[in-house]
Every structure is written in C-alpha cells, then in structure tokens.
Amino acid sequence: MIELTVLNVIHIIACMLMDFFLRMPIDREEEMRKIAKGLWYFFLVIVWICILIK
C-alpha cells in the first residue's frame, strides 16, 4: 500500500491533472490548447521532481 505522504499526494494530484489536460478535446480554441499544453508541462515537471526526490 502507498504511504500518503505530502510528496505522494502532490504526485497523485499532478498525475490526475496531467491526465485531465491531456484528454481535453482537440476542437477547443488555439489559445485554450496552448494554456492546457503549458499546464500539462508544468505538472509533468512537478511529477518528475516528486520522482527524483524519492
């Protein structure tokens, strides 16, 4: 079972948000896609930081 430390909670939340932004519909406006892509990269960095800290 996974320990629910602050780091693990942040990691789980970041993964869920990455999944949300990855699955956004393609037919959105170009500006919205850029924002979603930027947020996806931001959460990707957070996930990698969590992985490397462990």
Side-chain angles (χ1 to χ4, degrees):
M1 189 168 159
I2 298 173
E3 273 185 55
L4 283 181
T5 62
V6 175
L7 190 62
N8 285 339
V9 171
I10 292 170
H11 190 183
I12 291 168
I13 291 171
C15 286
M16 288 189 302
L17 289 171
M18 281 177 59
D19 187 52
F20 171 75
F21 286 111
L22 184 64
R23 296 175 186 265
M24 285 188 76
I26 299 299
D27 59 344
R28 297 280 184 187
E29 298 173 1
E30 183 67 28
E31 182 180 334
M32 192 66 182
R33 283 191 299 207
K34 286 182 182 178
I35 291 170
K37 188 176 180 180
L39 287 171
W40 190 85
Y41 284 126
F42 173 74
F43 291 120
L44 180 66
V45 169
I46 290 175
V47 167
W48 274 105
I49 289 171
C50 290
I51 290 170
L52 293 175
I53 287 176
K54 288 183 182 181

